Every structure is written in C-alpha cells, then in structure tokens.
Amino acid sequence: QDPLEKKGKRYVLNLGHTMGHVWEAKFNLPHGLAIFHGLLFDLAWSVHEGYFDGKRSVQLMDEIPWNIIWD
C-alpha cells in the first residue's frame, strides 16, 4: 500500500523494527513479539536521549494502533 513507507500504516509499523529484527534473529523470537520489544526499546531510548519525557512515551503507547500490530 505504501512502497515508500513514509506515511500511513507502514510508517507507524516501522517504529521498533530495527531493534526488533536484531532480537528476532539473535533470540529466535516470533516477529511480532520481537518488534513489540523493539518498540518498547525505541520509546525508552527516546526518553533516555531526551527526545521526550516518560509521560509522552506513555501517551505514544496509547496512540499505537495495537489492533494492526497484533493482527
């Protein structure tokens, strides 16, 4: 649907994929579980680096379309 992955569902789903793919390969985790952990890592790292605070991280978790991720 979005070959350039710059908007829409694919763009949202890219968050967490870099670290998620590392864990998927290294620990043989199922793709969805690995990406979920990558997403948590990305949000925690963003707080650590000062891109936003912990409250914003929780707000972003609430905005994630979980039905798309878990389907």
Side-chain angles (χ1 to χ4, degrees), residues 36-48:
F36 173 73
H37 285 288
L39 175 61
L40 295 178
F41 175 86
D42 286 354
L43 291 174
W45 184 258
S46 295
V47 171
H48 173 74

Side-chain angles (χ1 to χ4, degrees), residues 1-8 10-11 14:
Q1 293 178 344
D2 184 7
L4 300 178
E5 299 182 1
K6 299 291 183 191
K7 61 182 177 179
R10 295 294 308 162
Y11 184 73
N14 280 334

Side-chain angles (χ1 to χ4, degrees), residues 1-57:
Q1 293 178 344
D2 184 7
L4 300 178
E5 299 182 1
K6 299 291 183 191
K7 61 182 177 179
K9 292 179 187 178
R10 295 294 308 162
Y11 184 73
V12 171
L13 293 174
N14 280 334
L15 183 62
H17 266 76
T18 300
M19 286 305 299
H21 283 150
V22 170
W23 287 320
E24 183 179 16
K26 175 126 177 99
F27 300 109
N28 199 31
L29 292 177
H31 182 75
L33 182 59
I35 301 312
F36 173 73
H37 285 288
L39 175 61
L40 295 178
F41 175 86
D42 286 354
L43 291 174
W45 184 258
S46 295
V47 171
H48 173 74
E49 292 296 304
Y51 292 112
F52 47 80
D53 62 23
K55 183 177 178 181
R56 180 64 180 137
S57 179

